[in-house]
């Protein structure tokens, strides 16, 4: 996930979030939706009664809330809690603060995304029957609301917010009252910030909410099973064919499992009778002070907290300290890995001696330049082999998403959302190879041929 270039104040790693919003999944987990996906409705059973939740949002606002809207909505709740839950349910903030809290870049692309998200969250209307938990009265309630009741802003640009835009955003009364009544659950923002895709972040928030008993949030479960079609409705997935549902969830499943949040994902049954079971990874034992410091150090290197805790517990503090030193020596030698945190994890786990100390920091003698270069080359080749092997395991969706992220990074605002969406669709349809396009674009930029590449991409689209 892209991090904001402007550093935000350090926040506690685990902070509360409103539990109804998290549990109901008001925002589609899908990053992109058809223009005509303007409404959804689903029913569910709770406490022996039928609950119902629906949403409508006009096509002119981009359909129902989806994708990055979930990150923006979550950031607004986080800021609302941080500002002491104002009585008028209104927070005062800036565009850059919202983007930073959502973990997004403070640039033109995300300024436009923020503008669209706020409009969608204001216009979308939710109707619920026996679905919203009134924590004070200990009952399920019904009603209608918009996520954002109102917002106003000052901006130097007429139609698009920017980083310096000052906003006053008023949240729905239902959300504000629920937070004030302490109907909140913990959310690991440090872990959330490490997740690459909006879809994975949305699925994580929803699964983490399902881990808690809605009647007693202090109670949690170790696994969660649900009918696949029902789950697709809860996730607000557009295509309800079972193979499409599984394909939509595949990349997020893989990432949450690799990062240590899920222990396993299993499917049972066939067709419409399929169920999916999520087994949550067990919570770790308390760490001593030295181990906690090492976990924090790994997190600063972009290793996810669950994975960092697991590494420290499995390999012990002395090895972790030594391997962090080896990793930093590798970076100091001039090597610039594409995925530093993945390389660090591999350095820690390596038992074959494939990672050498490029600078020989533990010796008092200056290393021979030729030997240092040879070692660096060997290490770089080992890393490249690991990267190639990892790429072979990536799904087409993952490769397409990565190529789009690279193109967004290199071309900033030269390509609009519509063009990027068309390019992404071409990748998924097999019309273009994501890896080939990514390499060609990267090479062209370094050769200062951006104009040629933009023309070429336009012709492809």
């Amino acid at each position: 996930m892209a991090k904001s270039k402007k550093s935000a104040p350090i926040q506690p790693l685990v902070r509360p979030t409103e539990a109804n919003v998290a549990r109901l999944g008001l925002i589609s987990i899908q990053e992109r939706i058809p223009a005509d996906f303007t409404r959804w409705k689903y029913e569910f059973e709770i406490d022996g009664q039928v609950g119902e939740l629906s949403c409508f949002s006009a096509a002119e606002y981009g359909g129902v809330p989806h994708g990055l809207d979930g990150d923006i909505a979550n950031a607004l709740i986080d800021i609302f809690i941080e500002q002491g839950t104002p009585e008028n349910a209104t927070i005062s903030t800036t565009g850059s603060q919202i983007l930073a809290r959502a973990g997004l870049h403070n640039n033109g692309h995300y300024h436009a995304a923020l503008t669209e998200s706020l409009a969608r969250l204001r216009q979308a209307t939710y109707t619920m029957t026996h679905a919203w938990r009134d924590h004070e009265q200990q009952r399920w309630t019904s009603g209608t609301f918009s996520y954002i009741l109102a917002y106003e802003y000052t901006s130097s640009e007429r139609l698009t917010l920017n980083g310096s835009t000052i906003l006053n955003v008023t949240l729905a009364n239902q959300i504000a009252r629920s937070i004030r009544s302490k109907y909140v659950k913990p959310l690991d923002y440090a872990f959330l910030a490490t997740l690459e895709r909006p879809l994975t972040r949305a699925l994580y928030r929803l699964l983490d909410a399902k881990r808690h008993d809605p009647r007693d949030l202090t109670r949690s479960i170790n696994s969660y099973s649900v009918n696949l079609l029902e789950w697709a409705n809860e996730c607000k997935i557009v295509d309800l064919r079972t193979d499409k549902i599984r394909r939509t969830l595949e990349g997020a499943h893989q990432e949450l499992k690799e990062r240590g949040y899920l222990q396993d994902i299993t499917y049972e049954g066939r067709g419409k009778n399929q169920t999916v079971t999520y087994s949550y990874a067990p919570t770790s034992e308390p760490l001593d002070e030295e181990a906690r410091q090492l976990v924090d150090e790994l997190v600063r290197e972009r290793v996810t907290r669950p994975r960092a805790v697991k590494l420290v517990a499995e390999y012990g503090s002395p090895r972790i300290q030594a391997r962090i030193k080896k990793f930093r020596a590798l970076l100091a030698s001039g090597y610039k890995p594409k995925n530093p945190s993945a390389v660090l994890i591999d350095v820690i786990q390596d038992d074959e001696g494939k990672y050498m100390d490029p600078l020989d920091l533990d010796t008092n003698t200056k290393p021979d330049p030729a030997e240092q270069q040879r070692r660096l080359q060997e290490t770089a080749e080992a890393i490249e082999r690991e990267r190639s092997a990892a790429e072979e395991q990536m799904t087409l969706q993952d490769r397409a998403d990565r190529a789009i992220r690279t193109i967004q990074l290199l071309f900033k605002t030269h390509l609009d959302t519509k063009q990027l969406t068309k390019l992404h669709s071409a990748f998924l349809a097999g019309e273009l190879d994501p890896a080939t396009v990514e390499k060609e674009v990267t090479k062209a930029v370094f050769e200062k041929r951006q104009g040629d590449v933009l023309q070429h991409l336009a012709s492809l689209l």
Side-chain angles (χ1 to χ4, degrees):
M1 172 173 136
K3 300 296 290 181
S4 172
K5 293 181 180 179
K6 183 177 180 180
S7 59
I10 296 175
Q11 302 293 328
L13 298 174
V14 177
R15 305 194 293 277
T17 191
E18 202 282 321
N20 280 301
V21 169
R23 176 179 54 83
L24 293 172
L26 300 178
I27 295 168
S28 170
I29 71 170
Q30 292 198 237
E31 297 168 41
R32 299 167 186 84
I33 61 172
D36 60 353
F37 188 36
T38 58
R39 64 177 69 241
W40 51 256
K41 179 172 71 173
Y42 79 100
E43 295 182 348
F44 52 91
E45 183 179 327
I46 190 161
D47 278 355
Q49 300 185 53
V50 176
E52 184 178 281
L53 183 67
S54 65
C55 175
F56 171 75
S57 183
E60 64 183 288
Y61 294 101
V64 298
H66 61 278
L68 288 175
D69 299 342
D71 295 312
I72 300 300
N74 193 65
L76 294 175
I77 285 182
D78 194 33
I79 295 171
F80 176 72
I81 294 174
E82 184 187 72
Q83 293 187 358
T85 66
E87 280 301 317
N88 60 1
T90 300
I91 61 173
S92 296
T93 184
T94 65
S96 62
Q97 287 172 344
I98 295 175
L99 291 173
R101 194 59 60 91
L104 304 172
H105 277 292
N106 185 21
N107 62 25
H109 172 74
Y110 288 109
H111 295 162
L114 174 60
T115 304
E116 294 173 3
S117 286
L118 289 175
R120 237 182 331 266
L121 293 171
R122 170 65 187 92
Q123 295 298 326
T125 300
Y126 295 94
T127 302
M128 54 193 178
T129 303
H130 192 69
W132 190 269
R133 185 69 174 174
D134 184 328
H135 186 53
E136 290 184 338
Q137 299 297 323
Q138 295 292 298
R139 63 184 182 182
W140 303 100
T141 63
S142 304
T144 300
F145 69 95
S146 294
Y147 200 106
I148 292 176
L149 191 61
Y151 68 96
E152 60 182 17
Y153 61 91
T154 60
S155 176
S156 59
E157 300 178 33
R158 188 169 64 89
L159 298 176
T160 304
L161 307 179
N162 57 42
S164 61
T165 298
I166 300 173
L167 293 118
N168 291 321
V169 182
T170 304
L171 296 180
N173 290 326
Q174 288 92 333
I175 296 175
R177 284 199 305 267
S178 187
I179 293 172
R180 293 195 197 100
S181 69
K182 307 300 182 185
Y183 191 60
V184 295
K185 60 167 287 294
L187 182 65
D188 189 339
Y189 278 79
F191 178 71
L192 181 67
T194 67
L195 300 176
E196 295 290 337
R197 296 172 55 192
L199 190 150
T200 307
R201 298 193 292 272
L203 187 63
Y204 163 67
R205 287 190 292 262
L206 186 55
L207 278 172
D208 203 57
K210 295 296 183 182
R211 196 170 190 170
H212 296 266
D213 184 335
R215 292 155 298 236
D216 181 0
L217 295 174
T218 62
R219 296 172 55 191
S220 60
I221 57 177
N222 297 321
S223 65
Y224 174 66
S225 296
V226 61
N227 175 271
L228 187 59
L229 286 178
E230 292 178 7
W231 187 232
N233 280 318
E234 290 204 55
C235 294
K236 321 307 181 292
I237 293 174
V238 179
D239 194 329
L240 295 181
R241 289 177 291 175
T242 54
D243 60 326
K244 291 290 187 180
I245 298 169
R246 291 179 63 155
R247 195 175 306 164
T248 298
L249 296 171
E250 181 182 4
H253 283 174
Q254 181 179 349
E255 187 174 0
L256 290 175
K257 190 173 180 180
E258 287 177 351
R259 293 181 180 271
Y261 179 73
L262 293 175
Q263 194 169 46
D264 201 9
I265 305 108
T266 56
Y267 291 97
E268 294 183 353
R270 302 179 65 180
K272 296 181 179 181
N273 295 321
Q274 284 186 75
T275 62
V276 57
T277 299
Y278 296 98
S279 298
Y280 298 99
T283 54
S284 305
E285 294 296 321
L287 302 173
D288 60 31
E289 181 60 28
E290 182 183 33
R292 283 198 298 272
Q293 290 178 0
L294 283 173
V295 167
D296 290 341
E297 199 165 349
L298 290 173
V299 170
R300 284 193 290 272
E301 297 289 353
R302 299 278 295 159
V303 177
T304 67
R305 185 161 293 271
R307 178 64 66 85
V309 171
K310 185 177 180 180
L311 288 169
V312 173
E314 182 175 354
Y315 292 103
S317 296
R319 174 163 171 160
I320 298 296
Q321 289 174 332
R323 295 305 173 90
I324 290 176
K325 186 176 183 180
K326 176 179 284 192
F327 168 73
R328 288 174 177 165
L330 173 65
L331 297 185
S333 71
Y335 180 71
K336 297 180 180 180
K338 292 183 178 180
N339 190 341
S341 62
V343 174
L344 172 55
I345 291 171
D346 199 51
V347 169
I348 292 171
Q349 295 175 327
D350 174 39
D351 288 323
E352 300 175 1
K354 63 183 178 182
Y355 295 98
M356 299 182 182
D357 298 304
L359 296 183
D360 292 326
L361 293 183
D362 290 330
T363 68
N364 294 320
T365 59
K366 186 176 181 180
D368 177 67
E371 175 65 11
Q372 179 179 327
Q373 183 60 36
R374 184 186 67 79
R375 291 186 175 191
L376 179 59
Q377 183 63 31
E378 288 180 353
T379 303
E381 289 173 356
I383 293 171
E384 182 62 26
R385 287 194 297 272
E386 293 289 331
R387 185 189 65 79
S388 298
E391 282 188 349
E392 291 178 1
Q393 302 299 317
M394 291 176 67
T395 64
L396 176 60
Q397 177 80 45
D398 292 332
R399 293 196 297 273
D401 290 345
R402 190 182 69 177
I404 290 296
R405 285 197 301 271
T406 300
I407 293 168
Q408 283 180 309
L409 178 64
L410 294 175
F411 286 111
K412 308 292 184 196
T413 59
H414 292 290
L415 293 172
D416 60 29
T417 302
K418 186 176 181 180
Q419 291 173 309
L420 290 170
T421 300
K422 285 184 178 180
L423 191 59
H424 190 267
S425 298
F427 290 151
L428 295 181
E431 298 169 3
L432 296 172
D433 178 57
T436 300
V437 173
E438 184 179 7
K439 290 177 181 177
E440 289 177 352
V441 166
T442 303
K443 181 181 179 182
V445 168
F446 279 106
E447 293 176 354
K448 301 187 183 303
R449 295 187 289 106
Q450 293 96 321
D452 294 340
V453 174
L454 282 171
Q455 289 182 359
H456 180 56
L457 287 176
S459 67
L460 292 176
L461 296 174

